[in-house]
Amino acid sequence: MARSTITIAVLFASVVHVANARADGLARYEITGDGIATSLTGAPGDAVRGRTLALARTTTCILCHSGPFPEARFQGDLAPDLTGAGNRWTASQLRLRLVDASRFNPDTIMPSYYRNEGLVRVGRNFAEKPILSATEIEDIVAFLATLRD
């Protein structure tokens, strides 16, 4: 009896997980107002990993943004300074900015990190897939939310 209950619970959990994914593999999310209130992964991100990602040249954050990162050389000045980002924006707003910055400014040069349709000038390696995973988005959101004045 207990074994069948466990099997049913595992099957139910699998169905719920699949229901939260879109056909293209991206997590479902709902934009409410000026943000995405719910985590893309269903769990909070890791701020330490988020800091590492934000400072990595592969995510391009630091190429355009500057912030309280004394060890990072050649910080950008094309976009807002990230100092105090956690005071200026909620986690919900930060999440939407990372997922699809064009929702705020259609002419932005900031990439839509968690979108795979309607993009132009996409490199072959990024065609039909997001730049960042849902986990990476959540990690960066967790980190940016820690940046307080």
Side-chain angles (χ1 to χ4, degrees):
M1 184 73 150
R3 185 177 173 103
S4 63
T5 304
I6 291 170
T7 302
I8 291 169
V10 169
L11 287 173
F12 178 73
S14 297
V15 169
V16 170
H17 178 72
V18 170
N20 288 329
R22 300 180 347 185
D24 59 8
L26 298 179
R28 291 186 190 277
Y29 57 86
E30 181 178 329
I31 298 170
T32 305
D34 63 351
I36 300 171
T38 306
S39 165
L40 299 176
T41 63
D46 180 304
V48 173
R49 281 193 317 245
R51 186 179 198 286
T52 300
L53 285 165
L55 295 179
R57 297 290 176 182
T58 53
T59 60
T60 68
C61 300
I62 202 70
L63 294 177
C64 294
H65 295 275
S66 59
F69 321 116
E71 74 282 14
R73 296 181 52 189
F74 310 115
Q75 296 182 33
D77 61 1
L78 297 173
D81 187 313
L82 296 176
T83 302
N87 288 334
R88 291 192 305 273
W89 300 295
T90 65
S92 175
Q93 292 168 324
L94 290 166
R95 188 173 294 110
L96 181 53
R97 279 176 162 70
L98 288 167
V99 166
D100 188 1
S102 68
R103 293 275 185 165
F104 296 96
N105 176 2
D107 298 323
T108 187
I109 61 170
M110 182 170 166
S112 294
Y113 286 99
Y114 198 70
R115 206 174 96 194
N116 62 358
E117 75 284 336
L119 303 173
V120 295
R121 296 183 305 240
V122 176
R124 233 183 323 238
N125 294 344
F126 295 108
E128 299 182 19
K129 57 186 170 183
I131 296 170
L132 297 175
S133 70
T135 300
E136 291 169 325
I137 294 285
E138 293 306 322
D139 291 346
I140 294 172
V141 167
F143 166 62
L144 293 174
T146 69
L147 298 179
R148 307 257 175 205
D149 291 332

